[in-house]
Amino acid sequence: MLSRINARITFATWRRPRAILWAAAGVVTLGFLVALEIAARRYGGVPGPMATLAEGVVFAPKPGPLYGGLALTMVVLTWRQRFIAAGVAVGIDVVFVLVRWAVGAKVPEGHFFGNGALWVMLGCAVIAVTRRTGPERALLLKGVGLGLLLVAGRKIGDTWLLITAKTRPMVLDQYVATADHALGNPSWLAGRMLKATAPVGTHLLDLVYAQLAVAAIVVALYQLRNVAAERRFPRHHLVRTFLVIGLLGPAIYMIFPVVGPVFAYGPGTSGTGGVQWAVADLWPHTLPPVSAPHPVLYDGITPRNCMPSLHTAWATAIFIHTRKGSRIVRYAGAFWLIATLSATLGFGYHYGSDLVAGVVFTLTIEAGLRSLDRGWDRSGIRLVAYGTTVFAALLLAYRYLPMEMADHPWVFGPLLILALASVILLYVRTTKLWEPKAAHPVRQPEPQPELV
């Protein structure tokens, strides 16, 4: 009896700080979402992430994130439950489409489906609260939370991009372009090479660049394929890294606003930018001159989303999380990384310096998340501290030493590559030590012949 009382006291003592931590995290998250909602309406006159998500219950939403979120939610369901959930989602969408058609409601192109996926995710949450108990309730709520986080993350990202364009009128592209001379201006070279491969190369890389989120969902589903059978999530998976990258990346955008070479040194693309906003119309045929950089004014709609390159960061995360998969999964992860790097440079969306920073950014976040799971120790602290230091040093060098980097490319170019390689090497060596060592079977002594 006394042991039971002690066990309950111990459990309650352990549970109280954990509950307080989750409550505090919930309050901070709610405050963050409310702030984004206010900022979106103030700067852009558009609904923020919370209102957009709520509108998706009735109004025509973007289909991709919602069905991707539903796919992640279904990893906790049995195959029978998955077929039912998918069928209900499609059925609800069909009803919505027929109703909109009957009343003559106009919807944006490509926004026909998606309501059903959101309804099913919310329905799973209701079932978890009302029909499940204990670990089964927690597992189903985790699945719903994972799916809704993916959807909310996309909408939060859109709001952040709007905020960067409205609150950072001056951009620092001249600083990065000048510093990029140390790397040989790879965006200008890649842009000419990609144009030479048109239309096949441009179509292929455009598809890879645009479908990065789809690739991430496929890899995440591969990692989480055993959740339904094991009734638990793995300690670390790709979705967590993706979300943290998307949460922290825009904060760097606000500190270091950059639009990219096709905008700052070209005609822009996707309906934003223009030669009238460019420093000069040089990309990709003429290298920018080496001159003292200064902030320049740019339009109020192009996102300042270049430093660091989050497309590079996310593609790097996909590459890392496919290393333990089958051969075809490993090859696919490597292909997606190479193709994404080629697209970011070839289309003029990023400078080479952005890519270096993006890789360091991802490795540091990945190291932090893994350390958080396994418990912080000296190796984890050292890796995260080193990655953070290198990342900060890169930003400071791009901002305050661009002329020195351009004037001495044979010094600073190798230094940039060496800094990147050092973070990669330390990450590989440290995480290899973290891997559980396989137990080798003890070799039994061979039987000896009996002596007569």
Side-chain angles (χ1 to χ4, degrees):
M1 183 69 178
L2 185 60
S3 62
R4 286 186 179 181
I5 295 175
N6 290 334
R8 289 178 182 177
I9 293 174
T10 304
F11 178 74
T13 305
W14 169 86
R15 188 177 181 180
R16 184 176 299 171
R18 191 177 182 87
I20 294 174
L21 179 63
W22 278 107
V27 170
V28 171
T29 302
L30 179 61
F32 175 69
L33 291 174
V34 171
L36 284 181
E37 194 74 30
I38 296 172
R41 295 183 182 277
R42 176 182 177 184
Y43 293 114
V46 297
M50 296 176 66
T52 305
L53 190 60
E55 289 176 357
V57 177
V58 177
F59 298 101
K62 292 182 180 180
L66 288 168
Y67 271 97
L70 178 60
L72 290 178
T73 297
M74 290 195 297
V75 298
V76 304
L77 306 179
T78 64
W79 278 107
R80 178 176 176 274
Q81 292 169 338
R82 291 171 186 172
F83 283 121
I84 293 174
V88 171
V90 173
I92 292 174
D93 270 327
V94 170
V95 171
F96 269 93
V97 170
L98 291 176
V99 171
R100 291 187 186 114
W101 175 76
V103 300
K106 293 183 179 180
V107 298
E109 184 179 355
H111 290 210
F112 297 105
F113 293 93
N115 302 94
L118 182 57
W119 277 70
V120 170
M121 283 189 283
L122 296 177
C124 288
V126 173
I127 292 173
V129 173
T130 60
R131 304 290 298 274
R132 299 286 189 270
T133 59
E136 287 299 313
R137 172 187 290 176
L139 184 68
L140 185 53
L141 286 176
K142 284 182 180 179
V144 174
L146 197 65
L148 291 178
L149 274 175
L150 178 70
V151 178
R154 174 71 175 269
K155 299 183 185 304
I156 290 172
D158 293 341
T159 303
W160 260 120
L161 295 182
L162 172 66
I163 293 172
T164 64
K166 297 298 183 182
T167 63
R168 293 295 181 267
M170 309 299 287
V171 297
L172 303 179
D173 281 76
Q174 282 197 3
Y175 292 86
V176 185
T178 303
D180 226 37
H181 280 79
L183 295 173
N185 301 98
S187 180
W188 270 255
L189 175 61
R192 294 195 295 270
M193 292 175 62
L194 184 57
K195 285 192 174 183
T197 65
V200 177
T202 53
H203 288 331
L204 176 62
L205 292 187
D206 184 55
L207 178 65
V208 170
Y209 191 86
Q211 300 303 323
L212 179 66
V214 175
I217 291 172
V218 171
V219 174
L221 292 176
Y222 177 81
Q223 285 186 315
L224 303 175
R225 65 191 183 280
N226 296 322
V227 169
E230 298 176 355
R231 312 310 297 166
R232 63 179 181 85
F233 278 88
R235 296 180 64 182
H236 182 54
H237 51 81
L238 177 62
V239 180
R240 300 175 66 205
T241 307
F242 243 67
L243 292 174
V244 174
I245 289 173
L247 179 65
L248 298 181
I252 312 301
Y253 295 163
M254 300 293 287
I255 299 171
F256 210 118
V258 180
V259 290
V262 73
F263 297 98
Y265 293 93
T269 186
S270 303
T272 63
V275 177
Q276 69 274 20
W277 292 103
V279 176
D281 190 7
L282 303 176
W283 188 89
H285 300 292
T286 305
L287 294 179
V290 178
S291 58
H294 57 85
V296 295
L297 180 68
Y298 208 78
D299 69 15
I301 57 176
T302 302
R304 279 60 166 155
N305 60 342
C306 277
M307 181 62 72
S309 168
L310 292 198
H311 258 78
T312 297
W314 283 319
T316 302
I318 289 175
F319 176 80
I320 292 171
H321 283 265
T322 54
R323 293 309 87 200
K324 293 184 179 180
S326 63
R327 179 178 297 181
I328 188 171
V329 171
R330 296 197 303 272
Y331 286 169
F335 165 77
W336 216 269
L337 175 60
I338 295 171
T340 300
L341 297 180
S342 302
T344 56
L345 292 174
F347 289 121
Y349 299 146
H350 289 281
Y351 304 90
S353 304
D354 306 340
L355 274 60
V356 174
V359 174
V360 174
F361 186 66
T362 298
L363 295 178
T364 305
I365 289 175
E366 184 74 14
L369 290 174
R370 292 195 177 194
S371 296
L372 189 64
D373 288 332
R374 63 184 299 275
W376 289 95
D377 58 10
R378 182 178 297 179
S379 62
I381 294 172
R382 181 179 63 232
L383 177 56
V384 173
Y386 183 71
T388 303
T389 301
V390 171
F391 182 74
L394 291 173
L395 296 186
L396 291 173
Y398 300 157
R399 180 63 176 83
Y400 296 107
L401 298 174
M403 287 298 295
E404 289 78 2
M405 296 176 71
D407 291 337
H408 304 91
W410 293 106
V411 176
F412 284 94
L415 282 177
L416 286 176
I417 301 302
L418 182 62
L420 172 62
S422 66
V423 175
I424 294 174
L425 180 61
L426 182 60
Y427 175 86
V428 172
R429 295 178 65 176
T430 303
T431 54
K432 187 174 292 185
L433 295 175
W434 293 347
E435 298 296 332
K437 294 180 173 58
H440 297 285
V442 179
R443 185 175 180 180
Q444 299 295 330
E446 297 181 2
Q448 301 294 328
E450 296 184 3
L451 298 176
V452 180

